[in-house]
Amino acid sequence: MDVPRHVAIILDGNGRWAKAKGRPRNYGHVQGSKNVETICEEAWKMGIKYLTVYAFSTENWNRPKEEVNAIMTILRDYMKTCLKTAEKNDMKVRVIGDITRLDRDIQDRIVQLEEDSKDHGGLNFTIAINYGSRDEITRAVRKLAGDCKDGVVDPEAISEETISSYLDTHGIPDPDLLIRTSGEMRLSNFLLWQLAYTEFYFTEVPWPDFTKEELERAIRQYNARDRRYGE
Ligand code: IPE
Ligand code: IPE
Ligand code: MG
């Protein structure tokens, strides 16, 4: 099986998955975060080099306060678990998004996780937290405009590569395959610039039920398309 180098996933359907089981939405988020751990390991075993997941969007702050707080608690715990997993699996972790809006202690854990794992040679795992593509592009443009004003960048010399290098994803290749679970067919403000040529795969399966077999199915479909239109 020809494995895509970079797979990005919009983790969706935690709430509906829990509701279908008669459980609170937050239970879905707990199971969803556990599944992230599993899929990281499986992705690496399959030969995927880059995995990027959308965990919390800039729009998700509009959810009920209680749910936002529960998700933040899960993220806080997750950062701790991830530190151990990154060590064990030699995973290099990066967080994209505007982390300055997160609680101080979560920010500290993110910095520690990135620092501790920066020399690892295994899976390049990127987590999007308080991420929105329009926000990312806005921050990038603001910084680029500042650099032009300071004479660091010549506006005439700005290329697509320049813009990519100002985005949170600088240095990470664009995704080859985007997966969105749980039936919605929209991007919800995820990686708008980076997904320009990416193949999309949508499945009805909610994120907590998304297994290794589901990932393989997505890759098989990606391969079938690759053969049809491939280079
Ligand atoms: C995805 O699951 C997780 C986050 C966005 C934090 P949802 O919480 O969106 O679950 P549904 O879509 O309501 O089922
Ligand atoms: C997208 O899921 C964001 C994340 C997975 C973090 P949502 O469930 O928040 O998206 P919408 O609101 O249905 O577009
Ligand atoms: Mg959703």
Side-chain angles (χ1 to χ4, degrees), residues 144 148 153-160 162:
L144 182 54
C148 286
V153 173
D154 170 10
E156 292 301 322
I158 294 173
S159 62
E160 291 185 6
T162 315

Side-chain angles (χ1 to χ4, degrees), residues 10-16 25 29 60 63 180-182 184 186 188:
I10 301 177
L11 315 173
D12 201 13
N14 290 350
R16 278 166 283 172
R25 290 180 61 82
H29 296 314
N60 286 151
R63 293 188 180 199
R180 181 166 185 153
T181 58
S182 214
E184 310 304 337
R186 55 176 172 268
S188 302

Side-chain angles (χ1 to χ4, degrees), residues 36-44 49 51 78 81-94 113-127:
V36 171
E37 293 270 312
T38 310
I39 293 300
C40 275
E41 292 206 12
E42 297 300 344
W44 179 246
K49 301 279 185 273
L51 179 72
Y78 181 78
T81 320
C82 196
L83 197 65
K84 286 187 211 139
T85 321
E87 194 59 48
K88 188 175 111 216
N89 297 344
D90 204 30
M91 207 161 72
K92 182 172 170 173
V93 189
R94 176 130 143 219
L113 182 57
E114 289 182 332
E115 180 58 29
D116 284 15
S117 68
K118 72 176 191 309
D119 297 323
H120 290 173
L123 180 73
N124 291 279
F125 178 47
T126 304
I127 319 169

Side-chain angles (χ1 to χ4, degrees), residues 99-133:
I99 67 164
T100 62
R101 197 172 159 188
L102 305 174
D103 286 351
R104 189 70 244 176
D105 67 310
I106 301 183
Q107 292 185 43
D108 291 345
R109 281 185 192 190
I110 290 171
V111 171
Q112 191 195 356
L113 182 57
E114 289 182 332
E115 180 58 29
D116 284 15
S117 68
K118 72 176 191 309
D119 297 323
H120 290 173
L123 180 73
N124 291 279
F125 178 47
T126 304
I127 319 169
I129 306 176
N130 189 25
Y131 176 87
S133 201

